[in-house]
Amino acid sequence: MEVRNVTEFVLLGLTSNPRSQVLLFILFLVIYLLTLAGNLLMLLLISSDAHLRTPMYFFLRYLSFMDAFYSSVIVPKMLRNLTSERKTISFLGCFIQIALVIFSGATEACLLSAMAYDRFQAVCHPLLYVVTMNGKVCSGMVAVSGAIGMCVGLVNTLLLAQENFCGPNVIHNFACELPPVLLLVCSDPYATIAAILTTLATLGFGSLALLLGSYSRIIKTALGINSATGRSKIFSTCSSHFLVVTIFYGSGVFRYMTPASGSALEQVLSLQYSVVTPLLNPLIYSLKNKDVKAALRRMLSRKSRLTL
């Protein structure tokens, strides 16, 4: 039997109904523009306001960049397919998208862990905080996060790319991701799946362990404070980050740690962490953060004075 090598993939997307596709195009275009606007505004505020030049906002600046980048890896191609009759992506383009998706997710997981560690140092060791979380340490943690994300993305994508794809070439998703593409492998993917799961589980549970360890110490410290005001301040400072972590891990871990089946639920989860979460993150950090809202007021005040 002749083996046919796949040169492109077909992305089925969310729906085949033309009217629904138009509505989804408008919806996701608005979400994408709001995502870019929200995250770029966070970048601008943190970079321009001297009051936000602290380790927490240093990490948040890079998280905002990764959210905008993550969304840009997925949404533009999805918008194009919603308006196109030929919903295809080349073999190379598909694997580039897979690599960028993994890179973005892995880097963001590491950044969230770094942010949790920063809060742990601020709450549990306040007198040493400035020394422990100095600029060199923060820059190193961001660099390591990016390096880990790049390594995980390249390793997993190369492992998948060495498999044989001989057809069918239909991906039951709106984007190229590891779980649905693995379903199209013709050869026995056991070794590849084992290696991929090992790397993803090591990253996922390693970063989650750091998160849980940091927050357990924060909660223990907060409960040991006699002042209700002090406890409230600690929980208020950490609540935004904890909410972002819950949303990110809740959808991402379930999506990548369970067998793919091409179900509608899997597409909803993919939308959650690749489209909705990058939109929610700047809203969560701005609406629940007095410092960010104060910085926004200062920026608007400066702008109004300049226009007078």
Side-chain angles (χ1 to χ4, degrees):
M1 182 178 178
E2 183 183 358
V3 177
R4 177 171 56 89
N5 292 322
V6 170
T7 58
E8 64 179 15
F9 294 100
V10 177
L11 296 167
L12 284 186
L14 298 169
T15 180
S16 58
N17 186 295
R19 185 171 297 178
S20 298
Q21 287 179 350
V22 172
L23 294 176
L24 287 175
F25 175 85
I26 296 171
L27 173 64
F28 289 126
L29 177 61
V30 171
I31 289 176
Y32 180 57
L33 293 176
L34 290 175
T35 299
L36 290 181
N39 284 289
L40 291 177
L41 179 60
M42 288 295 291
L43 280 169
L44 179 62
L45 280 175
I46 295 170
S47 300
S48 62
D49 196 291
H51 295 83
L52 300 182
R53 288 172 188 169
T54 64
M56 182 175 75
Y57 295 107
F58 178 82
F59 292 123
L60 182 55
R61 180 174 63 180
Y62 284 96
L63 183 68
S64 296
F65 171 78
M66 289 309 305
D67 279 335
F69 179 82
Y70 199 177
S71 184
S72 297
V73 170
I74 298 291
V75 180
K77 180 63 179 176
M78 180 173 65
L79 292 175
R80 183 186 174 195
N81 284 344
L82 284 170
T83 59
S84 174
E85 292 184 5
R86 184 173 170 80
K87 306 180 190 303
T88 59
I89 185 171
S90 68
F91 186 91
L92 178 61
C94 183
F95 279 83
I96 289 175
Q97 190 174 59
I98 290 173
L100 293 177
V101 166
I102 298 174
F103 162 73
S104 303
T107 302
E108 191 155 329
C110 293
L111 284 175
L112 290 173
S113 296
M115 294 173 74
Y117 180 75
D118 169 70
R119 291 298 83 205
F120 157 70
Q121 290 292 344
V123 172
C124 300
H125 305 287
L127 297 179
L128 298 174
Y129 177 64
V130 176
V131 177
T132 305
M133 299 302 294
N134 58 61
K136 189 175 181 180
V137 170
C138 293
S139 298
M141 292 175 78
V142 169
V144 169
S145 297
I148 291 174
M150 190 176 298
C151 290
V152 172
L154 284 174
V155 168
N156 285 281
T157 305
L158 291 174
L159 285 171
L160 182 60
Q162 70 182 359
E163 295 294 331
N164 184 28
F165 294 86
C166 58
N169 65 337
V170 178
I171 298 175
H172 293 268
N173 202 11
F174 55 85
C176 284
E177 292 185 288
L178 263 178
V181 174
L182 268 173
L183 293 175
L184 305 181
V185 173
C186 297
S187 52
D188 183 6
Y190 175 79
T192 298
I193 291 175
I196 289 173
L197 284 177
T198 300
T199 57
L200 292 180
T202 301
L203 171 70
F205 291 114
S207 58
L208 188 60
L210 181 57
L211 280 163
L212 294 177
S214 298
Y215 272 106
S216 63
R217 291 291 302 276
I218 289 171
I219 292 171
K220 183 179 178 181
T221 301
L223 294 177
I225 296 176
N226 295 326
S227 169
T229 305
R231 286 196 301 270
S232 176
K233 185 177 180 180
I234 290 175
F235 288 128
S236 175
T237 303
C238 299
S239 60
S240 297
H241 182 254
F242 188 76
L243 180 58
V244 169
V245 167
T246 302
I247 295 172
F248 179 81
Y249 275 90
S251 54
V253 170
F254 185 84
R255 181 70 172 102
Y256 277 82
M257 291 294 127
T258 56
S261 62
S263 65
L265 175 60
E266 291 175 353
Q267 295 205 49
V268 170
L269 290 171
S270 293
L271 283 172
Q272 170 67 48
Y273 62 74
S274 63
V275 179
V276 179
T277 298
L279 171 67
L280 291 179
N281 284 355
L283 293 175
I284 292 171
Y285 279 110
S286 61
L287 294 177
K288 293 178 66 63
N289 193 301
K290 295 179 181 178
D291 293 335
V292 173
K293 288 188 284 188
L296 181 59
R297 285 194 295 268
R298 284 192 293 269
M299 187 180 75
L300 294 175
S301 177
R302 288 196 301 268
K303 185 176 179 181
S304 63
R305 286 199 300 268
L306 290 173
T307 56
L308 292 176

